Amino acid sequence: MTDKELFTVVGARSAEQAAPPRRRRSLRAPVVSMALLGLIVLCCLCAELLMTKDPTYLDLAHHTQAPDREFLFGTDTLGRDIFSCIWYGGRVSLLIGFLAAAISTLLAVVYGSASGLAPAWLDMLLMRLAELFLSVPTLLVVIFAQAVWGEANTLSLSVIIGVTSWCGMAKVIRTEVRQLRSSEYVIASRCMGGSFFYVLRRHLAPNFISSIMFMVVMNVRSAIVYESTLSFMGMGLPIEIISWGSMLSLAEKALTTRAWWIILIPGAFLVTVLMCMTNIGNWLRKNANQKESNL
């Protein structure tokens, strides 16, 4: 017998026999949600080109009229054309959502970064304050702040919602900054006299912004929900300021008159926008988690 017949050589397989590396499944972007949300936002921005009636005109002769050729989505109890109000009022709801999200993101970035770069005792104090603020339901804080502020308008609702919805994002940013502050480029920038805002703008924010993008999108969604909830409860925007929330504030009268279109159509647009934002936010979160696992 030869040596080849007595022994079998074991070890690393040849390149041809080696198993091909498993490819990670790429996350599919929610194209339908993005396209639908983009279409609704575009239509709201170009409302003047789509409106068939003056949304602020009270046509009392045709109030609570079902959808027909003249009024495509019908009219509400005040005689306003719902089709025109949808696009005209959508701008107000989306403006409140994006403005409130911008305010909350700015506060969260500054507060979370300051906590992450602070000494241990100050970091603990800042986080305990944030957790104390988180222990109170946000909607109750928004209602209380709006009651103190007085009559609601677009700016007041945006500021109140933005100021009361930053704590969760700040805790995430603080965790990211705690990991980044030991990096050589951050230490070098601070040793060379870089200010807090310089280090935040040039070194910290570019590294954690992708991790909080899903929270920014969800904050836009939450702000629209809060505005609609307050308007439905009669504490939000007044009737004369048209938004999806203020349109839903007529729900009680619509139910008594069986005018289903007054509730269903604005509610359908609101739910569609919220679902699209939820899908996009979940995709951003999973995408960020996958990048971290790849690293």
Side-chain angles (χ1 to χ4, degrees), residues 2 21 51 56 70 88 95 134 144 172 182 230 264 277 285:
T2 62
M51 292 188 305
T56 61
E70 183 180 0
Y88 185 82
L95 175 62
L134 275 173
F144 175 76
V172 175
S182 300
L230 289 176
L264 182 61
M277 288 186 175
R285 175 179 56 82

Side-chain angles (χ1 to χ4, degrees), residues 12-13 23 29 35 64 89 94 106 137 148 185 229:
R13 290 180 291 178
R23 296 179 59 184
T64 321
L94 293 173
L106 179 62
V148 173
Y185 52 86
T229 304

Side-chain angles (χ1 to χ4, degrees), residues 83 86 105 160 172 174-176 198 203 205 211:
F83 180 82
I86 285 291
T105 301
I160 289 172
V172 175
R174 177 255 182 189
T175 303
E176 295 287 337
Y198 176 83
H203 302 296
S211 301

Side-chain angles (χ1 to χ4, degrees), residues 252-266:
E252 182 180 354
K253 296 180 180 179
L255 289 175
T256 57
T257 58
R258 297 184 179 180
W260 54 266
W261 56 91
I262 298 178
I263 305 174
L264 182 61
I265 294 177

Side-chain angles (χ1 to χ4, degrees), residues 2 5-7 23-24 33 48 53 67 105-106 124 127 134 147 155 217:
T2 62
E5 296 174 345
L6 291 174
F7 302 99
R23 296 179 59 184
R24 292 183 178 271
S33 297
E48 286 78 6
K53 304 283 185 180
T105 301
L106 179 62
M124 181 179 298
M127 283 298 100
L134 275 173
L155 180 60
V217 174

Side-chain angles (χ1 to χ4, degrees), residues 91-152:
R91 290 191 295 191
V92 176
S93 295
L94 293 173
L95 175 62
I96 291 175
F98 285 106
L99 185 57
I103 295 173
S104 63
T105 301
L106 179 62
L107 293 175
V109 167
V110 174
Y111 191 92
S113 300
S115 179
L117 294 175
W121 66 270
L122 182 56
D123 174 43
M124 181 179 298
L125 177 61
L126 293 175
M127 283 298 100
R128 296 297 85 78
L129 290 176
E131 291 172 358
L132 179 63
F133 200 71
L134 275 173
S135 63
V136 183
T138 305
L139 183 59
L140 293 180
V141 179
V142 171
I143 293 174
F144 175 76
Q146 184 57 60
V148 173
W149 186 295
E151 185 178 357

Side-chain angles (χ1 to χ4, degrees), residues 97-113 158-159 161-171 173 200 205 208-209 212-220:
F98 285 106
L99 185 57
I103 295 173
S104 63
T105 301
L106 179 62
L107 293 175
V109 167
V110 174
Y111 191 92
S113 300
S158 301
V159 172
I161 295 173
V163 168
T164 56
S165 56
W166 55 268
C167 295
M169 190 186 302
K171 290 177 68 66
I173 293 174
L200 174 60
F208 65 66
I209 195 65
I212 65 170
M213 278 305 299
F214 78 96
M215 301 190 73
V216 175
V217 174
M218 300 306 282
N219 275 5
V220 176

